Amino acid sequence: MPPRGQVPPRRPEPTQVIRRDGRPPQNQNRPPQNTPPQNQAWSQAPAQPNRNEWAPTQQPQQFRGTPPPQQRRQAPPPPPRRTPPNQPPPRPQQARPQPPKPRRRRHWGRRIGITALVLLLAFVGAIFYVDNSLNRIDALPDYSGRVADTPGTNWLIVGSDSRDGLTPEQEQELATGGDTGPKRTDTIMLVHVPKSGKTTMVSIPRDSYVPIPGEGSNKINAAFAWGGAPLLVQTVEQATGLRIDHYAEIGFSGFAGIVDAVGGVNVCLQSPIDDPLAGINLPAGCQDLAGKDALGFVRTRATAMADLDRMNNQRQFMSALLSKATSPTTFLNPFRLWSLVTDAAKSLQVDKSDHIWNLASLAWALRGGMTTTTVPVGGFDYVDGAGDVLLWDKTRASAFFDALANDQQIPADLITVG
């Protein structure tokens, strides 16, 4: 209460709330419930009702179960997008073109280099494989008084009548005549490869009557039968004055296999040859000979000149065989080339110092354009203990081999043609 004589202060009027729509608020004219009426003290205001009487107490309970899908609250769909008036409808958005991917640079040089390296390694591996397949023997003896080294390269090539590895059926097919005792030579050839110029192939008749070290004089074929390759090499070196650098020997089956590996060899015959002992009946003219017929052709003596014709046939066939072996038809056919190389490696016997690249060098030297001849012959004779023998012309044979020992071409008048 204010002191006497003073006017009590005027209570401020409640602030009116104005809504945006202009209407008065709902409870604006309603006096506040907790405010006592005018001219009434606060102590005289009615008591507030009990709060617990307004509503019953709510006890929270745990929700159990999944509400049905239709009762789940879903977000309202977005309002449709309005297009401004007088605006064209939006064009469908086109995918932006992607920039082209940079092309990978192809390293052709690297690929070619890798391919060449693989082929080179395969080639080198094949060479060493074939080289290890060679049958090596101690063919070149180191004896006292051996002929000194002569210029050029000299090969001694021997075709033996060896039947090693042949079954009785194969011996009958090849007409080898069965086992005849010690191994003998069917062919003896001396090949001289000069440092420059043409290669010379010389046939040495197997009935040549020559001195054999430690055995006296006899047919040169006896040296091979008695002492094998070492004694034959020593006999040829002392008879010719040439030092032998390489040795190669092949038997019946190996020769036929090599001919078949190159697909046969073409030869031309001036007259027909019918030799049941060699197992051949060949007509005159040019024809391809397979392994069996080729073996009979180089062995037959059923001709007018017998052993001399036989040597001519051997040189003719050897030249044709090497020409076929070194031709593009063989080198460009990997199957034929591999068959030829592997068959040759298994069939040949070479000296312990010889390798496959030495044989390749020989084949290249004999591929064509070489001189083929035989030792100058002086006549025939019969010698007790040796039988019918062939005699060399000592004067002409001496000049013949002197030319080769000096790495020179043989004079034309010393060459035997045909």
Side-chain angles (χ1 to χ4, degrees):
M1 296 292 292
R4 292 182 180 181
Q6 292 185 0
V7 180
R10 189 177 181 177
R11 295 174 61 90
E13 296 181 0
T15 305
Q16 294 184 359
V17 179
I18 300 176
R19 296 177 53 164
R20 289 186 177 183
D21 54 4
R23 296 189 307 174
Q26 295 179 358
N27 300 327
Q28 183 175 1
N29 298 326
R30 182 182 303 174
Q33 295 180 2
N34 297 337
T35 304
Q38 294 182 359
N39 302 325
Q40 187 175 8
W42 284 95
S43 60
Q44 298 177 357
Q48 294 290 337
N50 189 2
R51 201 164 200 166
N52 296 331
E53 297 178 359
W54 291 356
T57 304
Q58 301 283 332
Q59 295 294 333
Q61 297 182 2
Q62 183 179 4
F63 173 76
R64 297 180 180 180
T66 303
Q70 61 271 16
Q71 296 181 3
R72 297 179 182 174
R73 298 185 61 184
Q74 297 181 356
R81 185 175 181 181
R82 297 182 179 181
T83 304
N86 300 329
Q87 292 291 336
R91 296 181 180 180
Q93 186 176 5
Q94 297 181 357
R96 297 180 61 184
Q98 298 292 334
K101 296 182 178 180
R103 298 180 62 184
R104 293 187 61 183
R105 186 176 180 181
R106 297 182 179 180
H107 301 281
W108 290 107
R110 183 183 303 173
R111 295 183 180 181
I112 294 175
I114 294 176
T115 303
L117 179 60
V118 171
L119 293 177
L120 178 61
L121 293 177
F123 178 72
V124 173
I127 289 178
F128 279 96
Y129 170 79
V130 174
D131 186 65
N132 290 331
S133 302
L134 289 173
N135 302 308
R136 292 183 170 87
I137 60 175
D138 192 4
L140 303 181
D142 187 12
Y143 56 90
S144 177
R146 188 180 181 187
V147 178
D149 192 16
T150 53
T153 303
N154 297 313
W155 280 81
L156 186 63
I157 301 177
V158 176
S160 72
D161 62 358
S162 173
R163 295 156 177 82
D164 294 341
L166 292 178
T167 63
E169 293 76 13
Q170 291 174 328
E171 291 182 359
Q172 184 177 2
E173 181 184 359
L174 297 176
T176 62
D179 191 4
T180 58
K183 189 168 59 173
R184 298 174 301 180
T185 60
D186 263 22
T187 304
I188 303 176
M189 289 185 180
L190 177 64
V191 177
H192 177 76
V193 183
K195 294 181 179 180
S196 62
K198 295 192 301 182
T199 299
T200 302
M201 177 186 292
V202 181
S203 293
I204 299 178
R206 65 177 188 172
D207 292 337
S208 300
Y209 192 69
V210 296
I212 299 177
E215 303 292 342
S217 295
N218 208 314
K219 293 180 181 179
I220 197 171
N221 189 30
F224 186 77
W226 293 337
L231 185 57
L232 177 63
V233 170
Q234 184 177 357
T235 301
V236 171
E237 286 183 342
Q238 293 185 354
T240 63
L242 296 172
R243 186 183 180 104
I244 304 301
D245 303 302
H246 302 281
Y247 177 86
E249 177 188 334
I250 189 169
F252 283 162
S253 62
F255 179 83
I258 291 177
V259 174
D260 288 335
V262 298
V265 177
N266 186 268
V267 296
C268 296
L269 306 180
Q270 296 181 355
S271 57
I273 302 176
D274 184 9
D275 185 1
L277 295 178
I280 57 173
N281 186 7
L282 304 177
C286 297
Q287 54 202 292
D288 290 333
L289 300 183
K292 173 183 176 298
D293 291 335
L295 179 61
F297 175 70
V298 298
R299 294 181 58 225
T300 183
R301 294 186 181 186
T303 57
M305 299 292 293
D307 202 47
L308 294 179
D309 284 340
R310 182 167 175 260
M311 290 185 295
N312 291 334
N313 292 340
Q314 290 172 353
R315 293 195 303 269
Q316 176 188 355
F317 188 86
M318 182 66 70
S319 178
L321 173 62
L322 293 173
S323 178
K324 181 71 173 292
T326 56
S327 65
T329 57
T330 301
F331 273 97
L332 297 180
N333 187 336
F335 300 101
R336 176 176 292 180
L337 178 61
W338 180 251
S339 178
L340 170 63
V341 173
T342 53
D343 285 350
K346 296 177 182 178
S347 305
L348 289 173
Q349 283 190 332
V350 297
D351 183 65
K352 60 183 181 181
S353 62
D354 291 329
H355 296 278
I356 190 66
W357 44 88
N358 300 126
L359 293 171
S361 176
L362 172 65
W364 188 257
L366 296 176
R367 69 188 185 278
M370 60 181 172
T371 301
T372 59
T373 183
T374 187
V375 178
V377 177
F380 299 89
D381 197 2
Y382 179 84
V383 178
D384 291 337
D388 294 325
V389 298
L390 181 145
L391 303 177
W392 293 358
D393 186 329
K394 293 184 178 180
T395 303
R396 301 177 72 239
S398 178
F400 182 95
F401 290 114
D402 283 345
L404 295 178
N406 293 318
D407 203 25
Q408 299 174 355
Q409 294 295 315
I410 299 175
D413 60 330
L414 300 179
I415 296 177
T416 303
V417 180

